[in-house]
C-alpha cells in the first residue's frame, strides 16, 4: 500500500509549456504538474491525493516556484538545486522506474524497452509506461525522455506536443554546450 501525505500546500504559475502546479508536503516536493490551466491542475492534484488536506499557499511558496519555473523554462544539463527533496508517492515499482528514469540526462532519450531492462524487468514495458504516466513530478523526473521502440514520440501525461517541445528544447540546449 502506498502512503499518502496528510497535507499538501501548492501554488501555480506559468511557464513556456503552459500552467504549472508545484505541490509540497511534509516529505518534500510531491507534485509538479503541467497543463493548460491552473484549475485543471488543482483538480488533478485533488484526484491524486483525495485523502490529503490541500491548501493553496502562493506567498509561502513563491520563491520555490520561481526556482522551478526558471529551470522548466531553461532546463540545463543538471537538475535545479530544489529547495526541498523530491517526494513522489507511488508503488515500489513506480518509485524504481522514476529513480532509473532520473538517471537519463537532458538531451538524451531512452525507449520503454530500455527502461524496463534497466529496471531489471525486461518484459514489463507496459508497466513501465504506466509508471511513466503516473509520474507526479513533470520534467524533474523526466518521463518526457522515453520514446517508443521505433524512436517515435508516443503518449505523454501532459500532452504529446509538450513532450516533443521538451525533447527538442533539451537537445538544442545540450548541443550548445
Amino acid at each position: 500500500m502506498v502512503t499518502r501525505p496528510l497535507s499538501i500546500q501548492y501554488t501555480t504559475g506559468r511557464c513556456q509549456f503552459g500552467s504549472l502546479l508545484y505541490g509540497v508536503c511534509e516529505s518534500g516536493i510531491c507534485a509538479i504538474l503541467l497543463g493548460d490551466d491552473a484549475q485543471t491542475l488543482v483538480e488533478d492534484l485533488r484526484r491524486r491525493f483525495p485523502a490529503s488536506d490541500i491548501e493553496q499557499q502562493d506567498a509561502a511558496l513563491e520563491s520555490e516556484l520561481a526556482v522551478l519555473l526558471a529551470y522548466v523554462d531553461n532546463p540545463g544539463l543538471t537538475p535545479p538545486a530544489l529547495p526541498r527533496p523530491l517526494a513522489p508517492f507511488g508503488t515500489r515499482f513506480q518509485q524504481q522506474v522514476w529513480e532509473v528514469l532520473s538517471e537519463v540526462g537532458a538531451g538524451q532519450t531512452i525507449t520503454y524497452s530500455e527502461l524496463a531492462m534497466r529496471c531489471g524487468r525486461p518484459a514489463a514495458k507496459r508497466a513501465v509506461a504506466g509508471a511513466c504516466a503516473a509520474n507526479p513530478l513533470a520534467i524533474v523526473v523526466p518521463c518526457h525522455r522515453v520514446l517508443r521502440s521505433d524512436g517515435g514520440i508516443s503518449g505523454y501525461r501532459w500532452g504529446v506536443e509538450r513532450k516533443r517541445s521538451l525533447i527538442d528544447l533539451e537537445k538544442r540546449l545540450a548541443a550548445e554546450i
Side-chain angles (χ1 to χ4, degrees):
M1 185 170 138
V2 178
T3 60
R4 300 289 178 185
L6 297 174
S7 66
I8 298 173
Q9 296 178 336
Y10 76 91
T11 188
T12 59
R14 300 257 336 142
C15 65
Q16 68 175 313
F17 302 106
S19 291
L20 182 142
L21 181 143
Y22 173 70
V24 299
C25 66
E26 56 275 4
S27 305
I29 302 168
C30 61
I32 300 171
L33 310 176
L34 292 173
D36 294 329
D37 65 87
Q39 185 56 42
T40 302
L41 296 177
V42 172
E43 291 167 8
D44 185 11
L45 183 68
R46 291 187 190 285
R47 268 192 307 277
R48 289 171 182 264
F49 302 101
S52 300
D53 179 31
I54 297 175
E55 184 179 4
Q56 188 168 0
Q57 290 289 327
D58 295 332
L61 297 173
E62 180 179 12
S63 63
E64 294 180 34
L65 178 65
V67 170
L68 181 62
L69 289 173
Y71 173 72
V72 168
D73 280 338
N74 190 17
L77 294 182
T78 57
L82 296 170
R84 300 175 194 237
L86 298 179
F89 288 84
T91 66
R92 188 188 327 236
F93 179 72
Q94 289 170 331
Q95 298 268 347
Q96 179 189 18
V97 170
W98 300 334
E99 186 177 319
V100 171
L101 189 51
S102 294
E103 297 168 2
V104 178
Q108 300 174 1
T109 57
I110 187 172
T111 66
Y112 291 101
S113 296
E114 290 173 278
L115 184 54
M117 281 197 267
R118 289 187 190 182
C119 290
R121 308 252 321 256
K125 289 185 292 191
R126 287 188 186 269
V128 163
C132 289
N135 173 18
L137 299 171
I139 301 174
V140 175
V141 174
C143 57
H144 62 278
R145 296 180 187 151
V146 185
L147 304 175
R148 293 188 319 231
S149 294
D150 65 3
I153 293 178
S154 59
Y156 182 54
R157 171 75 180 88
W158 294 289
V160 172
E161 281 309 309
R162 279 189 187 93
K163 183 174 185 170
R164 181 174 287 113
S165 295
L166 279 161
I167 290 170
D168 290 347
L169 174 62
E170 288 183 351
K171 284 185 178 181
R172 190 173 66 250
L173 291 172
E176 292 175 4
I177 294 179

